[in-house]
Amino acid sequence: MATRDAGDATDPARDDRANYDYQDDDVARPGLVADLRSRVTGDVRFDEYSRQLYATDASAYEVTPIGVVFPTSTDDVSAVTTYCAERGIPVLPRGGGTSLAGQSVNEAVVLDFTRHMDGLLDFSPENRTARAQPGIVLGELNRALADHDLKFAPDPAWGDKSALGGAIGNNSTGSHSLKYGKTEAYIEECEVVLADGTVTRFGEITMDELRKRADEGGSTDERDLEARIYAEVLRIIEEESDAIRDVFPQLKRNVSGYNLDRLVREGEEGTVNLARLLAGSEGTLAIITEATVRLEPIPETKSIALLTYDSLIDAMADVAPILDHDPSAVEVLDDVLISLARDTEEFHDVVEMLPEGTDSVLLVEFYAKDDEDGREKVAKLRDDREGKSALSAMEAHDEADRARFWKLRKSGLPILLSRTSDAKHISFIEDAAVPPENLPEYVEDFQQVLEDNDTFASFYAHAGPGCLHIRPLVDTKSPTGVNQMEAIADAVTDLVVEYGGSVSGEHGDGRARTQWNRKLYGDHVWGVFRGLKTAFDPDWLLNPGQVCGDVDMTENLRFDPGYGFDSGFDPVLDWDNENGFQGMAELCHGCGGCRGGQETTGGVMCPTYRAADEEITSTRGRANMLRQAMSGSLPEDEAFDVEFMHEVMDLCIGCKGCARDCPSGVDMAKLKAEVEHEHHRRHGASLRDRLFANIDRLSALGSTLAPISNWATKLPGSRFLAEKTVGIASERRLPKFHAESLEDWFEARGPRIPEQDATRRVLLFPDTYTNYNHPEAGMAAVRVLEAAGVHVRIPNDVTASGRPAHSKGFLDRAREQAETNVSALAPFVRDGWDVVVVEPSDAVMFQSDYLDLLPASEESGPSSGQYTEPRSADPEAGGLRTEAERLAANAYGICEYLDAFDFDLPFDGTGSLTYHGHCHQKATKKDGHAVNVLRTAGYEVDALDSGCCGMAGSFGYEAEHYSMSKAVGSILFEQVEASDGTETVAPGASCRTQLGDWQGDEPPHPIEKVADALS
């Protein structure tokens, strides 16, 4: 079941999957996997791991599929569909798996288009059209169009992870639907595979042509599938138009049921486009293999007014009048989310901009032809609303200020999704929509429904078109919570019917809302839906149960009353959240934020997914597999099995990017450390893992024996021997050892700034790499600190930081090192000294990881009570945990330290630099300090928005990971090549090693360039 990286560096090879046979109702279907493999060129995977990976999406549901196929062409899709149709096997087309209503999980053969069928096939700037495959991510599509100032207009929140096929299937839209409407409006033509495997194209045709095609084949019984489809479409237009007009809400935001209102409108005008009928069909009518879509110009500029209100109802009452000003977006944020945002470090400063007493805000955005036009539009809105219905108004016109306002609006979802308790804010009725003029009464009634059901929710998002995002807090692990969920949905459906709305204004029907379409549209139109479904899919094999089927919103819940979680071990780290380790293991909600495509470069996570393009290498894939292993979906203790570690956890490189970039804050690096530690306890550890975990001892020996140790690594055959004996890649150059370590150099030199004359006092921690392999960076740090008037010492009685041991899952060893260092450094920190570290990953150990290794108490720490304070703790100082917290607050990376205290240094640096930051710095939001310092020193700096370098400590040295390491690194290399900087700098030792192997020469640490710039 391997997903390995032993092949080409840009496309890591994968082993074949096990040949599982599918059984349904005890009727065996022998040879299913072999049959499919003989018919398609794409991958066919029916192994247990692959099936579990596709059992979830971004919804509250979980359904294990029959298997997964990764088609490479329309022929593959047709072959799979034909085969399955002949045997009565359901088929589910799937994009990025970001659906919120459960429409992309089913007991079916899943077709994942995002791996191979994700190309932009044709682009006509003149005609403003693009033809693309269904697996292309919207963000990638728009990046390809941006040079021509064009875009695919619908902008779902997860557009940078959502696929075009999914956007059509869900009829997606987003914050700017006031201007752009839904996806349906932009579909020109689709190539599709019908339920029987027929390949055809749907596009615009006249009513006369529709009648002609409907009549082809003679009588009803003699018509082929395509002719039956045309016949049913014609019948609906001619016979059901009045019924459809009577029950469909007059609403911009309605994606419930099939898209019959548009069909009827087009029919009345003399032409229909059947491709648009597929919008919102959730893969139940046909499988899209190509789509031609219309494009829109990117607006010249934008302006924003942020209106504040003393109640949510006042804000809702103001929406309809604001729409008279023709905004491009009107977004709301209520008091619940404003309060939560105020309490978070990331959003606190933005919330503090709001006037005192603000309960809710409306973000009103205008598209404008230039800055003056934008300011005029905002001014007119302020004159009309400020001081009347709105308490106040704030403006934003330049890009940075607009981004701050949007950041506040978008703060809501990450906060809601970070809850680790059993009760969660679930998406099951969160995008019901009503006409904007009905919002005040609707919101009041909705709040009463929540109160009647003893829960609450926040109200945020798309107020302009009347589509609020509302996620009630519900515990579906309890029968009470499941009943509560259905009662809320039932009552809210009554509300949207009463107020002329829809049960889904954005996210579709799926498992959450299909059952409510009957109440929304009535029995007759419900029957029309089912007739259309039967015409397209006579045996109901395409994503069965959705839109007009029989799925029940309380079935197939990911967390239900029968759910159980047993980690099978006692965690040793401190899990400071509700439900501890379990809470973190269950935190992933499946949005797919970690699934940045191969061409995506922004942010940190998830490096190995970007290189491999495999679900199992994404944070979502690993988190779901870990949860499923501990909740009974996989065999008992599977999480600690050698195969599980090899297949699921092995390619997590511990970059910590998920801790920053994941909306929920899933910390996969920490989860992996726990699981790997338990794996070592049960199965032992390899010699290589032990060597890397104790690299400080090996490095000290290498330094003592230098230069002999350096000559030894250059002997013919030495690299080959290293690979064959301990598994170190022969392609890698081993680090060079210095006979004079940083500690030796400083001991001989001594401090140059007397303590009594110093501006500050610093202990420069001798991290392993700086001390033995690259002391030049440490020397540069000393020179710069002393130029700033700082008294510097290198501490005695310290050991390695514990980073190597922690990253390899040797948590007992890492804890011992943490205890030693905290005990040694604590007296100095209490006396006002600062601790400064050159290597970023070692600095982060002091700043955060020590707090995981040294829990506050047995009660708040490991459930087993394994941890007890060592005797070296000072009771009068509050114990070792308190000392660790004090150390964390006074520990800095070298550039962070210089930036934080803004020393007045004499600089005259010149030249341009390309800066690549370290993953751990980015994960802890400390990556900007080096850029600030380098610019202060006089350099022009191109700060790359780069992810992991791919070296990741020992990962890139390991033979089986070498090709993956280079594949991850290739994304960084492309960014460096495209940069205008004449020299590259990077603070991380791993990063410099990776860049050095690529460039030939290892780039300097930023502090070395800062030292060079001293006058």
Side-chain angles (χ1 to χ4, degrees):
M1 288 189 261
T3 304
R4 309 313 315 138
D5 57 318
D8 180 74
T10 61
D11 187 16
R14 298 170 305 281
D15 295 340
D16 288 337
R17 303 313 216 220
N19 188 352
Y20 282 78
D21 288 336
Y22 171 59
Q23 295 189 14
D24 181 29
D25 295 333
D26 298 322
V27 179
R29 305 180 189 276
L32 171 59
V33 177
D35 287 349
L36 288 176
R37 283 180 175 160
S38 69
R39 286 165 169 77
V40 303
T41 58
D43 299 334
V44 177
R45 302 181 187 172
F46 279 56
D47 62 279
E48 190 63 25
Y49 282 8
S50 293
R51 295 171 67 224
Q52 293 298 331
L53 284 167
Y54 286 82
T56 55
D57 55 8
S59 72
Y61 298 94
E62 180 171 335
V63 183
T64 305
I66 299 165
V68 187
V69 177
F70 301 82
T72 62
S73 65
T74 300
D75 287 344
D76 275 0
V77 178
S78 177
V80 171
T81 308
T82 300
Y83 178 88
C84 290
E86 292 170 351
R87 292 157 180 80
I89 301 172
V91 177
L92 165 63
R94 172 166 160 145
T98 60
S99 296
L100 288 162
Q103 56 266 61
S104 56
V105 293
N106 215 328
E107 188 178 359
V109 173
V110 172
L111 299 174
D112 183 348
F113 290 99
T114 61
R115 181 160 179 79
H116 300 300
M117 296 183 67
D118 60 349
L120 175 59
L121 303 177
D122 188 30
F123 170 40
S124 174
E126 300 80 14
N127 297 324
R128 292 184 179 175
T129 59
R131 182 166 59 90
Q133 293 175 304
I136 191 169
V137 174
L138 298 185
E140 297 297 337
L141 174 61
N142 282 330
R143 271 186 281 276
L145 307 174
D147 288 343
H148 297 272
D149 294 323
L150 294 171
K151 66 177 180 177
F152 178 68
D155 57 346
W158 285 103
D160 56 343
K161 307 296 181 286
S162 304
L164 177 61
I168 296 172
N170 291 341
N171 203 5
S172 295
T173 184
S175 296
H176 295 93
S177 64
L178 290 173
K179 286 292 184 186
Y180 297 126
K182 298 171 289 190
T183 295
E184 63 185 24
Y186 301 91
I187 304 171
E188 297 294 314
E189 184 179 75
C190 287
E191 177 189 80
V192 301
V193 174
L194 300 179
D196 64 351
T198 299
V199 179
T200 189
R201 286 187 176 273
F202 287 148
E204 187 174 275
I205 60 173
T206 65
M207 287 297 294
D208 289 340
E209 179 66 18
L210 178 63
R211 290 187 182 92
K212 178 181 176 182
R213 296 187 184 186
D215 290 337
E216 289 178 355
S219 66
T220 302
D221 293 339
E222 294 171 336
R223 293 172 183 159
D224 62 17
L225 180 58
E226 192 169 356
R228 292 185 184 189
I229 291 170
Y230 285 115
E232 180 62 14
V233 169
L234 179 64
R235 190 197 70 79
I236 291 172
I237 295 172
E238 293 183 339
E239 299 178 16
E240 305 291 354
S241 294
D242 290 342
I244 289 167
R245 277 192 295 266
D246 287 344
V247 299
F248 264 75
Q250 300 302 304
L251 193 69
K252 287 186 176 181
R253 286 294 199 101
N254 174 32
V255 296
S256 293
Y258 290 125
N259 205 9
L260 300 186
D261 53 342
R262 173 176 278 274
L263 177 69
V264 167
R265 288 198 307 271
E266 290 183 349
E268 291 174 344
E269 295 170 2
T271 62
V272 294
N273 190 322
L274 265 65
R276 293 174 184 164
L277 184 59
L278 302 180
S281 65
E282 301 180 1
T284 63
L285 299 181
I287 301 171
I288 297 169
T289 52
E290 286 182 14
T292 299
V293 294
R294 182 167 54 84
L295 309 174
E296 290 289 324
I298 296 173
E300 293 294 331
T301 189
K302 306 169 187 176
S303 287
I304 292 177
L306 195 69
L307 305 179
T308 67
Y309 300 86
D310 59 11
S311 76
L312 176 63
I313 301 303
D314 284 350
M316 294 298 92
D318 221 20
V319 171
I322 289 172
L323 293 179
D324 292 338
H325 291 263
D326 193 29
S328 59
V330 181
E331 303 282 299
V332 66
L333 198 69
D334 73 351
D335 62 319
V336 174
L337 287 175
I338 290 175
S339 177
L340 290 171
R342 181 179 285 109
D343 295 336
T344 63
E345 179 181 352
E346 183 174 2
F347 303 113
H348 175 79
D349 292 343
V350 185
V351 175
E352 288 302 301
M353 298 187 305
L354 302 175
E356 186 176 352
T358 297
D359 175 271
S360 299
V361 300
L362 289 178
L363 182 154
V364 184
E365 182 183 76
F366 295 95
Y367 286 166
K369 59 186 178 183
D370 53 36
D371 184 65
E372 182 181 358
D373 181 39
R375 291 179 183 275
E376 287 179 0
K377 290 179 176 180
V378 169
K380 289 180 180 178
L381 178 68
R382 294 189 69 163
D383 289 343
D384 185 40
R385 310 313 302 166
E386 187 177 17
K388 300 169 185 176
S389 52
L391 297 175
S392 66
M394 304 164 65
E395 297 186 26
H397 300 283
D398 65 67
E399 186 174 357
D401 288 341
R402 296 199 309 265
R404 293 180 76 196
F405 283 1
W406 272 110
K407 182 179 181 181
L408 174 62
R409 149 61 185 94
K410 293 180 178 179
S411 67
L413 190 58
I415 295 171
L416 293 179
L417 297 180
S418 62
R419 185 181 288 272
T420 58
S421 62
D422 288 340
K424 297 183 183 297
H425 291 281
I426 299 175
S427 58
F428 64 95
I429 199 67
E430 88 290 352
D431 65 324
V434 299
E437 61 270 19
N438 295 336
L439 277 172
E441 295 81 9
Y442 169 70
V443 168
E444 281 191 305
D445 288 348
F446 202 125
Q447 290 174 327
Q448 187 61 52
V449 168
L450 296 175
E451 185 177 336
D452 291 344
N453 285 275
D454 195 26
T455 188
F456 73 96
S458 63
F459 291 71
Y460 69 102
H462 318 306
C467 181
L468 304 182
H469 287 344
I470 308 165
R471 294 190 177 207
L473 185 67
V474 177
D475 176 13
T476 58
K477 293 180 181 178
S478 71
T480 299
V482 174
N483 293 334
Q484 185 184 40
M485 175 183 178
E486 187 165 23
I488 292 171
D490 192 10
V492 170
T493 301
D494 288 338
L495 288 183
V496 298
V497 171
E498 177 184 351
Y499 289 112
S502 167
V503 293
S504 178
E506 184 171 9
H507 298 147
D509 296 319
R511 297 178 174 275
R513 287 183 281 265
T514 288
Q515 76 184 72
W516 306 112
N517 279 337
R518 192 165 191 163
K519 177 182 282 192
L520 177 65
Y521 291 111
D523 288 341
H524 182 77
V525 170
W526 174 260
V528 175
F529 288 160
R530 292 176 67 84
L532 182 69
K533 165 68 173 174
T534 301
F536 271 89
D537 182 16
D539 297 318
W540 285 54
L541 294 176
L542 298 182
N543 200 10
Q546 319 295 318
V547 183
C548 58
D550 58 357
V551 292
D552 185 319
M553 71 173 299
T554 63
E555 294 179 352
N556 299 114
L557 291 167
R558 188 185 308 187
F559 303 113
D560 63 16
Y563 175 87
F565 185 96
D566 180 8
S567 68
F569 77 113
D570 291 320
V572 300
L573 294 175
D574 186 21
W575 294 90
D576 186 19
N577 58 51
E578 292 183 85
N579 281 351
F581 175 85
Q582 177 181 347
M584 181 60 70
E586 294 176 348
L587 188 56
C588 174
H589 72 286
C591 71
C594 47
R595 284 172 51 97
Q598 282 186 295
E599 303 304 320
T600 301
T601 54
V604 181
M605 72 170 185
C606 182
T608 49
Y609 177 81
R610 294 182 184 187
D613 205 17
E614 289 272 5
E615 178 74 15
I616 202 168
T617 60
S618 68
T619 302
R620 178 174 76 175
R622 295 188 186 104
N624 271 321
M625 290 296 288
L626 182 61
R627 175 186 57 80
Q628 288 161 332
M630 294 179 173
S631 62
S633 295
L634 293 171
E636 186 177 357
D637 289 339
E638 179 80 5
F640 313 111
D641 186 77
V642 173
E643 183 180 28
F644 188 91
M645 293 299 301
H646 184 63
E647 297 300 326
V648 180
M649 291 297 179
D650 188 41
L651 294 184
C652 171
I653 57 181
C655 69
K656 293 179 177 281
C658 48
R660 185 194 80 164
D661 290 348
C662 171
S664 300
V666 174
D667 192 340
M668 182 48 61
K670 187 175 176 181
L671 287 167
K672 179 188 177 182
E674 279 280 22
V675 175
E676 195 168 24
H677 175 79
E678 179 65 12
H679 174 77
H680 291 330
R681 190 186 70 81
R682 297 186 183 200
H683 301 284
S686 68
L687 173 61
R688 186 185 65 188
D689 283 350
R690 293 186 181 278
L691 287 174
F692 281 134
N694 292 281
I695 195 67
D696 54 308
R697 296 172 180 172
L698 189 63
S699 297
L701 179 61
S703 177
T704 300
L705 298 178
I708 297 172
S709 53
N710 295 322
W711 298 341
T713 63
K714 297 178 181 178
L715 291 174
S718 60
R719 294 186 185 180
F720 174 81
L721 183 63
E723 180 166 331
K724 292 302 179 184
T725 54
V726 292
I728 295 175
S730 59
E731 297 89 344
R732 290 290 186 191
R733 294 182 298 179
L734 295 177
K736 179 182 176 181
F737 298 106
H738 282 247
E740 183 183 45
S741 68
L742 176 64
E743 290 175 303
D744 295 337
W745 171 81
F746 191 83
E747 184 178 0
R749 173 187 182 274
R752 298 293 171 87
I753 301 295
E755 185 174 353
Q756 64 272 19
D757 299 332
T759 56
R760 299 189 72 86
R761 295 174 297 171
V762 159
L763 296 175
L764 185 67
F765 182 81
D767 67 84
T768 298
Y769 190 83
T770 303
N771 195 29
Y772 298 117
N773 304 111
H774 196 71
E776 297 89 346
M779 297 173 189
V782 172
R783 289 198 299 273
V784 174
L785 288 169
E786 290 183 338
V790 175
H791 175 70
V792 181
R793 292 189 204 171
I794 292 183
N796 299 318
D797 302 324
V798 293
T799 184
S801 72
R803 169 60 65 203
H806 189 281
S807 68
K808 301 304 292 184
F810 293 91
L811 298 183
D812 290 339
R813 172 68 175 154
R815 173 174 287 160
E816 291 171 1
Q817 292 169 317
E819 291 171 350
T820 297
N821 290 331
V822 172
S823 297
L825 298 172
F828 291 91
V829 174
R830 289 200 304 271
D831 194 35
W833 288 69
D834 304 311
V835 176
V836 173
V837 189
V838 173
E839 175 59 32
S841 61
D842 291 81
V844 173
M845 281 297 294
F846 291 125
Q847 293 168 334
S848 68
D849 293 298
Y850 279 9
L851 302 182
D852 292 335
L853 290 163
L854 305 173
S857 67
E858 293 183 9
E859 289 74 20
S860 63
S863 58
S864 65
Q866 293 178 22
Y867 179 72
T868 55
E869 292 267 357
R871 294 180 181 179
S872 57
D874 184 350
E876 294 184 2
L880 201 66
R881 168 63 183 225
T882 300
E883 300 279 28
E885 291 172 350
R886 191 177 289 119
L887 173 59
N890 292 278
Y892 304 86
I894 177 60
C895 291
E896 177 191 0
Y897 188 70
L898 296 173
D899 195 34
F901 292 101
D902 195 23
F903 295 105
D904 184 16
L905 287 161
F907 287 128
D908 60 1
T910 58
S912 60
L913 303 173
T914 297
Y915 174 77
H916 164 65
H918 192 280
C919 293
H920 289 179
Q921 286 182 318
K922 294 176 181 179
T924 52
K925 300 181 177 65
K926 298 178 183 294
D927 51 310
H929 295 293
V931 176
N932 293 341
V933 173
L934 288 167
R935 287 173 177 162
T936 301
Y939 298 105
E940 295 180 7
V941 183
D942 179 12
L944 301 178
D945 184 11
S946 51
C948 182
C949 71
M951 196 68 187
S954 64
F955 180 86
Y957 283 106
E958 295 164 356
E960 72 275 22
H961 296 147
Y962 175 76
S963 62
M964 175 62 79
S965 172
K966 299 299 286 187
V968 174
S970 67
I971 302 173
L972 170 62
F973 303 158
E974 290 175 5
Q975 290 179 280
V976 172
E977 285 184 325
S979 173
D980 294 331
T982 57
E983 185 179 10
T984 305
V985 294
S990 293
C991 309
R992 300 200 302 275
T993 298
Q994 181 82 303
L995 288 164
D997 281 359
W998 170 60
Q999 296 176 156
D1001 294 315
E1002 189 173 297
H1005 189 292
I1007 195 60
E1008 295 178 80
K1009 300 301 295 183
V1010 174
D1012 290 345
L1014 288 171
S1015 302

